[in-house]
Amino acid sequence: MISALTWIPRGAAKLKPELAEIDDDDTHGIDSLSEEGDQEDVEEMSTSDDDEAQGEVEQAKRFAALLKEQQQSGGDHAKGGDHGGISDSLAELNMDAYDDEDEDDDMKRILGGGHPGMAYYKNPEDDPYVEAGDSESEDMEFRDTDLLIAAARNDEDISYLEVWVYEEGDGKSPEGNIYVHHSLLLPAFPLCLAWGSCDPASGNVHGNFIAVGSFEPGIEVWNLDIIDAVEPVTTLGGANYEEARRLAEARLKGKKKKKKIPEVPVKSGSHADAVLGLAWNQEFCNVLASGSADKSIKIWDVVTQQATQTLSIHRDKVQAVKWRPTDASVLLSGGFDRNIFLTDLRQPEQKPVAFTVGADVEALAWDPHNPHSFAVSAEDGSVTIFDERKGNEPIETLMAHSKATTSVSYSPCHKGVLVTGSTDATVKLWKGDDGAHEEVSCQKMGVGAVFSAEYCRDSPMLVAAGGANGTVTVWDTSVVG
């Protein structure tokens, strides 16, 4: 299943991603495990091959000795008969020196030692039969026109972070093309994603990073420009394994042994439960907001890797957080307590503005054409639109879907247009203004129950969706009549 996805801004990714560098210590550990695991198989194969080869050699030698004996005792008949021809052939084979032959010479004959062939050219570019641009490295490069999507996927208890490429259609081929470019293995089931440009290691704000929230209390930050990375750049909060080891050692030294296995403590300032929602600030690029099942909201500095603020304003799990696009100090949050809070982090002591809906909050979206308006999707299938200037009463409520509305996203270019995604396996396009949205189109995206749907800012007619079937698809809403 695709549990979450988000578009990567065009131009943020390196056109030539880098391969992860593995330390010698890591490769030594991998090699050791591999050698231990495969040693018995290798020995069995080697013994079997040696026995077979030795048997063939011994048989050939006995046959040659027999012919030689016949030749010596058979006189002229042996010399003039067929046995002599066989003996001559065996002599050419030089079976007595069979074991002394150089296997490297055999391989050279097979692979082209001195004769042009598949293995003749050390540099493939020198081979006249290899066309320019036919290399695997070039296949991994991005084009300037590519649109990229980061997606979190789980398949049979194995979780991945994937980078998808969408190639827009043109006059010759109006249909777009989408495929997975590369993927990274995740240690826990992913629940939410947030893209950011700030490098946690250096503070450089021109990177390509993704924050991943999961059932674990830690937030992993991955570099999307690194292929085959085995670990994140950093983890914000999470389990404190050093403290767990210390407690375990102290418990072993104690006289009393507890049968119950102790829980692993978390780092200071960390969430204590699953991370359900993330929002990376696009103005203050080092700032990340997170909402958790522990009912708290945390504001992180990804460079110092510390939580600078903790908000305890919700009474239940915090499902979604969103920064206001026109004021990067204002945060919108929604939770399973059916409350939505608007918090100005410059005045944390001030009571946040509260709004209420009739079911657990699933997703939030700011209207890019009205900085005071936002939409809230909920578990009962509804979408509620508020304007903070008009108090906590909604200006519109849509019964958008028959099941939970998991996603809501505004069009970046058309005022009053938004899309919703639902576990009823549909994505709907809505259009309207002044509290009068109407359904324009309903699409079965082919992804099963939809868990995430989002407009693309760089190509504002495109909507990406992912769901229970474990795939991502893109809907070009410009074809809607």
Side-chain angles (χ1 to χ4, degrees):
M1 63 178 287
I2 299 293
S3 55
L5 61 76
T6 188
W7 292 91
I8 299 170
R10 178 174 276 165
K14 292 182 179 179
L15 296 181
K16 295 182 179 180
E18 302 173 8
L19 284 173
E21 295 182 1
I22 301 178
D23 296 336
D24 292 339
D25 293 340
D26 295 334
T27 56
H28 177 71
I30 295 172
D31 292 342
S32 299
L33 291 173
S34 178
E35 289 175 3
E36 291 175 4
D38 295 341
Q39 184 176 3
E40 294 182 1
D41 293 338
V42 171
E43 290 177 354
E44 290 178 2
M45 292 174 62
S46 177
T47 302
S48 175
D49 292 343
D50 290 345
D51 291 344
E52 184 178 354
Q54 186 65 29
E56 292 176 356
V57 172
E58 293 298 331
Q59 183 179 4
K61 286 182 176 180
R62 286 196 299 271
F63 184 55
L66 178 61
L67 288 178
K68 185 175 182 180
E69 181 181 349
Q70 289 178 347
Q71 192 174 30
Q72 291 175 349
S73 62
D76 295 337
H77 176 72
K79 293 179 182 179
D82 295 334
H83 295 300
I86 295 175
S87 298
D88 294 340
S89 298
L90 289 171
E92 290 180 7
L93 292 175
N94 191 21
M95 296 304 295
D96 291 332
Y98 181 88
D99 294 332
D100 300 329
E101 289 189 5
D102 190 352
E103 293 182 2
D104 291 337
D105 291 339
D106 294 337
M107 295 305 295
K108 289 179 182 178
R109 288 197 297 268
I110 295 171
L111 297 179
H115 299 284
M118 269 179 64
Y120 180 69
Y121 296 98
K122 293 182 179 180
N123 186 353
E125 295 180 359
D126 297 334
D127 194 332
Y129 297 100
V130 176
E131 297 182 3
D134 239 10
S135 68
E136 184 178 350
S137 61
E138 290 186 6
D139 289 340
M140 297 303 292
E141 295 179 10
F142 296 117
R143 299 181 179 89
D144 292 329
T145 56
D146 288 340
L147 293 169
L148 307 184
I149 303 167
R153 183 169 69 89
N154 180 270
D155 183 14
E156 296 182 354
D157 298 328
I158 301 177
S159 297
Y160 306 89
L161 175 62
E162 298 177 329
V163 175
W164 291 66
V165 175
Y166 180 74
E167 299 171 336
E168 294 186 87
D170 52 29
K172 297 181 180 179
S173 178
E175 296 256 342
N177 180 41
I178 189 168
Y179 60 91
V180 177
H181 183 271
H182 66 275
S183 61
L184 305 170
L185 196 62
L186 296 176
F189 192 112
L191 299 172
C192 54
L193 301 174
W195 181 89
S197 63
C198 183
D199 185 347
S202 65
N204 185 295
V205 295
H206 299 290
N208 181 25
F209 297 87
I210 198 85
V212 182
S214 69
F215 278 114
E216 295 294 326
I219 302 166
E220 295 185 339
V221 181
W222 293 81
N223 188 342
L224 294 180
D225 287 333
I226 303 295
I227 296 176
D228 295 336
V230 295
E231 60 182 0
V233 178
T234 189
T235 300
L236 307 176
N240 190 339
Y241 293 109
E242 292 184 2
E243 178 66 12
R245 281 193 291 269
R246 188 189 68 79
L247 292 174
E249 291 173 357
R251 192 172 292 108
L252 288 174
K253 293 178 180 179
K255 296 181 179 180
K256 296 182 179 179
K257 296 183 179 180
K258 297 182 180 180
K259 295 182 179 180
K260 184 179 178 181
I261 299 175
E263 294 183 358
V264 177
V266 297
K267 298 176 183 177
S268 176
S270 171
H271 281 299
D273 207 335
V275 177
L276 307 179
L278 291 169
W280 205 314
N281 199 305
Q282 299 305 303
E283 183 174 341
F284 304 111
C285 299
N286 63 313
V287 177
L288 178 74
S290 60
S292 171
D294 66 8
K295 307 177 187 179
S296 74
I297 298 168
K298 289 186 179 290
I299 311 301
W300 299 87
D301 184 331
V302 299
V303 177
T304 64
Q305 300 165 26
Q306 299 296 318
T308 58
Q309 286 180 271
T310 298
L311 305 177
S312 301
I313 54 180
H314 286 273
R315 301 191 308 271
D316 207 337
K317 301 177 180 68
V318 182
Q319 173 69 12
V321 287
K322 288 287 182 182
W323 295 103
R324 193 207 295 266
T326 57
D327 189 345
S329 297
V330 176
L331 183 70
L332 190 67
S333 61
F336 285 8
D337 56 3
R338 304 183 179 186
N339 289 327
I340 302 96
F341 291 110
L342 194 60
T343 306
D344 188 338
L345 295 173
R346 292 166 297 194
Q347 300 173 319
E349 71 286 348
Q350 187 177 22
K351 187 176 181 180
V353 181
F355 307 84
T356 304
V357 292
D360 295 352
V361 173
E362 290 284 345
L364 303 169
W366 283 99
D367 185 345
H369 309 284
N370 181 352
H372 301 286
S373 181
F374 58 89
V376 183
S377 70
E379 188 182 25
D380 62 355
S382 66
V383 174
T384 307
I385 300 175
F386 293 92
D387 187 321
E388 62 173 314
R389 298 169 299 182
K390 299 180 180 181
N392 56 11
E393 289 297 321
I395 60 174
E396 184 179 7
T397 299
L398 302 170
M399 287 310 300
H401 296 271
S402 59
K403 295 183 179 181
T405 301
T406 56
S407 307
V408 59
S409 179
Y410 277 96
S411 168
C413 65
H414 294 104
K415 184 179 180 181
V417 176
L418 57 85
V419 292
T420 56
S422 170
T423 53
D424 66 7
T426 66
V427 174
K428 293 184 178 182
L429 178 66
W430 303 82
K431 186 177 181 180
D433 201 2
D434 298 327
H437 281 85
E438 294 182 354
E439 181 183 324
V440 176
S441 180
C442 177
Q443 293 288 328
K444 287 272 189 180
M445 303 292 284
V447 299
V450 178
F451 298 126
S452 188
E454 183 179 285
Y455 263 110
C456 176
R457 292 181 59 86
D458 295 305
S459 187
M461 301 304 291
L462 300 180
V463 175
N469 289 351
T471 188
V472 174
T473 188
V474 174
W475 177 20
D476 185 352
T477 60
S478 66
V479 301
V480 175

